[in-house]
Amino acid sequence: MRLLVSFKICPDLELLREEDIILTEEMGIDTHFLPNIINCYDESALELALRLRDKTKEFPIEISAFTAGNEQAELTLKSLRALGFAHTVRAEDEKGYTVFSSETVAETLAAYIKEYPQDCILLGKEAPNGNNGIMAGLVSEKIKHPLIGPILDIIFIDRESVTVLVSDEGRIRKQIVSLPCVLCVGNAVISKLRVATLRERMKVSKTESEYISLAYPDHEYIAAPKEVNPMIAKRAGYQSQKDGSEAVRDILRNGLQKVLEQI
Amino acid sequence: MKLLFVIHGTDNKIIETAYKKKQKICRQMDCIAESCVYGEKEELENLSLELLGGRIYTLPVKTCVVEAISKSLHKLIREIQYTAVVVADGDRAGELAALLARLMNVKCITAVTELTKENGGVRCKKMIYNNLLCAGFRLPPEFVISERLAVLSLRNERPEPLDHIVLEPCRNPHYILEDTLFEERRPQVISPVLIAAGMGIKRREDIMKIREYAKHHGFSFGVSRPVAMRGWADISEIIGVSGGIYAPKVTIAIGISGAAAFMAGIEQSDYILAVNTDPSAMIAKQSDAIIADEYQNVLQPLFENLEKFTYPRHHDLSCR
């Protein structure tokens, strides 16, 4: 059985301060100085895949990982090989074209899957750069596999079907879905990817990723931005210059008390 | 422009919010919108659709599978010749919008926070890069979007008279072999005061104390996604996209950075107070006030003052 996880490497935007924001020509933010992380939903997907492989004893599951990006992804890909991902695939994108282009990534992934069919494809719900939340849907539509999600957990898999827990506007549903399918991973119960041991890393020290070129869709449905601007303050943002209980009294005097009196 | 507003109708709170959003869209687009509410048959029957008003199509579904729902919606869209679709925010809104756009062969944007009519087309905005940037888009008059609109105020207008049409139920696709309810929605405490805890809270015990405090006083309580993913809170306590959306009088956001996904859950608050050691955190621009201090120094005096002004318990059991 084959399982593929698509993930995105993102800059850790939580560390970005307002005064460090520099807009780029590509209508993004210059983030070259920020450490990179795996998009949190994708990280859950990667760990879910590993756990599924570990607990399925009846037959072997070959897991692969796919990403579109530049060389910065190589360290993560090597870690994934160390953790047991049989194939790690990188669609080369040195210019960062795919940062915003979900459709190009989906087209590239679909092309790879058509060449190397998979029983189950996992993707995270959304990534912080574009906040689109559509990758899983695009991939599903391109490869004509059903889309199930947002997934909270994968309970069981056999040769014909997969059993999952799905979030449904606050409810949780248990679904058995026939394979092949695309699973969109949401607020999964498992969120952190395990860490490879030194021994595991040394085992794969001489291995490499597979590299493919980007595939571009004939037509793009997702509109591209015409302009980007720093976020304008939506609220007053009164900052108390005091500390502790003095700060609380200050805030009460400057607006909070009036609101509380209306309750 | 003939606009269809698509809503996943699970309860009347959703319908009330949908009415506010429909009002906002119609005002800004200078058009009339009709609605399609999809959901389970039993839930649809319990909805007070007159709260939404106007022409409403209801689409019963057995299981919320985006592919099947999009095909049923597309059939309606072609029949009535809608030129634009707005999908209400929800678990599957973005995917549904993208699929509809492909079926209709039009452009799509997801998580739109503002839209206005402009020069024969539409101008949209959405937040990107974790709420750090605002991206502007231009669309032709034929489009599909999923919305993430804030509806702070409501004009005092009555909904239009209801004209309800029930559509042919959406069948379960063949690939869903079994579908059962695993866990029902947990009723959320809806209070005029929401206490939200984020990753700035360093200890699990502190999260528990804050939760206990909120519970004891009948306040709503929630967390940012990373707190729940760390195992310090239940997934049902997540605030924001794919979590709870709140519209309280006051939100106290403790140790919250202000990421877009979280802010979607509290931006409808009348007043937001942030407690964060970093005065230039993203949340500062999105709050009415900020106390830049360690939460341990602030919480006790803050909670004492909250108690003075609020009644002991505010309970309105309601689901998102």
Coordinates of all heavy atoms in Angstrom, one line a residue, chain A residues 4 87 106 159 170 176 192 204 225 239:
Chain A
L4 N 1.0 8.9 0.5 CA 1.8 10.1 0.3 C 1.4 11.3 1.1 O 0.2 11.5 1.2 CB 1.8 10.4 -1.2 CG 2.7 11.6 -1.6 CD1 3.5 11.3 -2.9 CD2 1.9 12.8 -1.8
H87 N 10.3 7.5 0.1 CA 10.6 8.4 -1.0 C 10.3 9.8 -0.5 O 9.3 10.1 0.1 CB 9.7 8.2 -2.2 CG 9.8 6.8 -2.7 ND1 10.8 6.3 -3.5 CD2 8.9 5.8 -2.5 CE1 10.6 5.0 -3.8 NE2 9.5 4.7 -3.2
A106 N -0.6 21.9 -6.8 CA -1.6 20.8 -7.0 C -1.4 20.1 -8.3 O -1.5 18.9 -8.4 CB -3.0 21.4 -6.9
R159 N -6.8 -2.9 3.0 CA -6.5 -2.8 1.6 C -7.5 -2.1 0.8 O -7.3 -1.6 -0.3 CB -6.2 -4.1 1.0 CG -4.9 -4.8 1.6 CD -4.5 -6.0 0.7 NE -3.3 -6.6 1.3 CZ -2.1 -6.3 1.1 NH1 -1.8 -5.2 0.4 NH2 -1.1 -6.9 1.7
G170 N -18.1 21.3 14.6 CA -18.2 21.0 16.0 C -18.5 19.6 16.4 O -18.2 19.1 17.5
I176 N -15.9 5.5 7.2 CA -15.1 4.5 6.5 C -15.2 4.8 5.0 O -16.3 4.9 4.5 CB -15.6 3.1 6.8 CG1 -15.6 2.8 8.3 CG2 -14.7 2.1 6.0 CD1 -16.1 1.4 8.7
K192 N 2.5 16.9 16.7 CA 4.0 17.1 16.6 C 4.6 15.9 15.9 O 4.4 14.8 16.2 CB 4.6 17.3 18.0 CG 4.5 18.7 18.5 CD 5.3 19.6 17.7 CE 5.0 21.1 18.1 NZ 5.4 22.0 17.0
V204 N 20.6 7.3 6.7 CA 20.2 7.9 5.4 C 21.2 9.0 5.0 O 20.8 9.8 4.1 CB 18.8 8.4 5.5 CG1 17.8 7.3 5.8 CG2 18.7 9.5 6.5
P225 N -3.2 38.2 -6.0 CA -3.4 39.5 -5.5 C -2.9 40.6 -6.5 O -1.9 40.4 -7.2 CB -2.6 39.5 -4.2 CG -1.7 38.4 -4.3 CD -2.3 37.4 -5.2
Q239 N -2.2 51.4 24.6 CA -1.3 50.7 25.3 C -1.0 51.3 26.7 O -0.6 52.5 26.7 CB 0.0 50.5 24.6 CG 1.0 49.5 25.3 CD 2.4 49.5 24.7 OE1 2.5 49.7 23.4 NE2 3.4 49.3 25.5

